[in-house]
Amino acid sequence: MDFGLSEEQELLQQSARNFLAHECPTALVRDVMREGDGFPRTLYDKIARMGWTGLIVPEAVGGLGLSMLDLAVLAEEMGRAALPGPFFSSSVLAAMSLIASSARSHKREWLPRLARGDAVGTLAFLEESDRLDAAGIAARCAKTRNGYRLNGTKLFVTDAHVADFIVAAFRGRGTGEAGVTLFVIPRDTPGISVSPLSNVDQTRRPCEVVFRNVDLPSSARLADDGAGWKVLSRVMDAACVVLAADSLGGAQRALEMSVEYSKVRQQFGRPVGSFQALKHMAAEMVSDIEPARSLVWYAAYAFDHERRGASRAASMAKARLSDVYCRTTNHAVQMHGGIGFTWEHDLHFWFKRAKWNETAFGDATFHRERVAQLAGL
């Protein structure tokens, strides 16, 4: 088995790095964090023309039809640039929800628009209990004469304030996984209210979404009654792989910034990088990052080619990279000294992204427990 990238993937990696270095400098990230709705539309128009918004969307509906490993390669570069905006919520969560479902009408309606960058989607999953299993879905869907009526509140719905549609999970009559049903809901449907929430990483904007007597036709259902959890499990695996790749790129960037700073910052007449304490920190960062790269690439490969082991590989990558990214950015702040935790220095972009990635879709403890459960322990 060859774990190296193909020639095409190396080209994607290099072109993404060059594009983001030019089009997504830290000055733009800072502006997006500080102002507006967190959606740099001019940048996303260019990203859509590159085809990235439809990277994993099948070619039959206007996408590039590439693999999860291709998406992981791209996500690593986006993490390296701390890309702000709704790429993760729309081109990963919403797109994968549609792709993993069997609802042809929704695929024909929304996937071409996602691929062209004409629409933004997101996923409404978590609730007040913050549980990531099927028991955490308590928002109710009740059958009516013409379809369904939805009631409930979803939390931490990323980029819902700029989304055109929301894929949302509700509980029907069944219990556990069998009771989960998914719907595709236009954001402007009567009865839906969206409120932005405070967040440590201002490059991603979570929202509270309240559904109050929202009436939908039966055609709004994305997965058959009771089949929604199977789709959500697939989306969670994809989210874990992409977040792990984003973390890998961010950790690499934090390491490079720290090494460069330690070469030019002088103390006692010599560069601070010559002191043993900083050398040890840099060495620990490298020893964390390099083995983790193989873990991410394997998880992405398994997502497409080894379905039976895909969930376990995704959770292993997410657990490991959650730790690596937080530890690396923590070392990076220490290597920078006082300037490292100021607003004026750019390092906090990656420190905050590390904290967001650490808890999004389950922290390291949750995923290590999931690995044990999948192994039958």
Side-chain angles (χ1 to χ4, degrees), residues 75-76 79-80 204 240-253 289 296 317-318 320-326 328-329 350 353-354 356-358:
E76 182 180 340
R80 183 186 177 86
R204 287 173 175 159
C240 289
V241 173
V242 172
L243 287 173
D246 183 281
S247 300
L248 178 64
Q252 183 67 42
R253 179 68 177 268
I289 293 170
V296 174
K318 176 65 169 64
R320 180 62 181 161
L321 267 299
S322 292
D323 288 345
V324 168
Y325 199 7
C326 285
T328 300
T329 50
W350 290 274
R353 176 66 67 87
W356 196 93
N357 284 3
E358 180 186 19

Side-chain angles (χ1 to χ4, degrees), residues 18-326:
N18 294 340
F19 173 85
L20 292 169
H22 186 260
E23 301 292 343
C24 185
T26 54
L28 183 140
V29 177
R30 185 178 295 272
D31 289 343
V32 173
M33 290 179 74
R34 190 162 41 198
E35 301 171 355
D37 58 9
F39 186 5
R41 288 173 172 77
T42 302
L43 173 61
Y44 270 73
D45 287 343
K46 295 176 182 177
I47 286 176
R49 287 199 290 274
M50 298 281 284
W52 295 353
T53 48
L55 195 86
I56 58 171
V57 173
E59 288 183 276
V61 286
L64 297 181
L66 298 183
S67 69
M68 181 54 68
L69 182 53
D70 297 306
L71 180 58
V73 169
L74 180 61
E76 182 180 340
E77 295 307 314
M78 290 178 169
R80 183 186 177 86
L83 177 76
F87 183 88
F88 177 68
S89 54
S90 185
S91 300
V92 179
L93 300 181
M96 184 52 66
S97 298
L98 294 166
I99 293 167
S101 77
S102 56
R104 293 181 179 176
S105 60
H106 290 304
K107 291 183 179 184
R108 286 196 300 268
E109 179 180 1
W110 289 109
L111 283 176
R113 295 183 63 188
L114 286 181
R116 292 195 303 269
D118 293 341
V120 171
T122 188
L123 173 68
F125 173 33
L126 281 177
E127 300 182 14
E128 189 176 6
S129 66
D130 200 29
R131 293 184 62 161
L132 289 161
D133 57 2
I137 297 174
R140 304 293 303 188
C141 64
K143 283 191 175 181
T144 62
R145 178 181 296 179
N146 300 317
Y148 291 87
R149 174 165 290 182
L150 313 182
N151 279 288
T153 300
K154 297 290 182 179
L155 295 174
F156 311 114
V157 185
T158 316
D159 303 306
H161 62 302
V162 297
D164 297 285
F165 71 94
I166 301 169
V167 176
F170 286 84
R171 178 158 299 283
R173 288 185 175 179
T175 59
E177 297 178 5
V180 177
T181 302
L182 293 180
F183 296 90
V184 178
I185 313 164
R187 186 173 62 93
D188 57 1
T189 302
I192 294 178
S193 60
V194 177
S195 304
L197 300 170
S198 298
N199 185 32
V200 63
D201 178 13
Q202 293 153 296
T203 62
R204 287 173 175 159
R205 305 293 177 93
C207 299
E208 177 189 76
V209 181
V210 177
F211 300 84
R212 187 173 292 112
N213 295 325
V214 176
D215 290 320
L216 297 175
S218 297
S219 60
R221 201 175 53 192
L222 181 62
D224 293 338
D225 289 346
W229 186 252
K230 187 176 179 181
V231 174
L232 280 179
S233 296
R234 188 72 171 154
V235 175
M236 176 178 281
D237 290 344
C240 289
V241 173
V242 172
L243 287 173
D246 183 281
S247 300
L248 178 64
Q252 183 67 42
R253 179 68 177 268
L255 168 64
E256 292 169 2
M257 291 173 68
S258 301
V259 170
E260 286 303 312
Y261 183 78
S262 67
K263 289 178 181 176
V264 297
R265 178 77 170 99
Q266 299 268 331
Q267 279 289 354
F268 308 111
R270 57 176 179 160
V272 295
S274 64
F275 298 123
Q276 196 169 39
L278 269 67
K279 289 180 180 178
H280 285 171
M281 282 191 192
E284 287 178 16
M285 293 157 80
V286 173
S287 64
D288 269 345
I289 293 170
E290 284 309 313
R293 179 166 284 107
S294 299
L295 201 59
V296 174
W297 288 358
Y298 174 70
Y301 171 85
F303 185 89
D304 287 326
H305 301 286
E306 296 183 3
R307 287 289 187 97
R308 294 182 63 182
S311 295
R312 187 175 63 173
S315 280
M316 290 174 69
K318 176 65 169 64
R320 180 62 181 161
L321 267 299
S322 292
D323 288 345
V324 168
Y325 199 7
C326 285

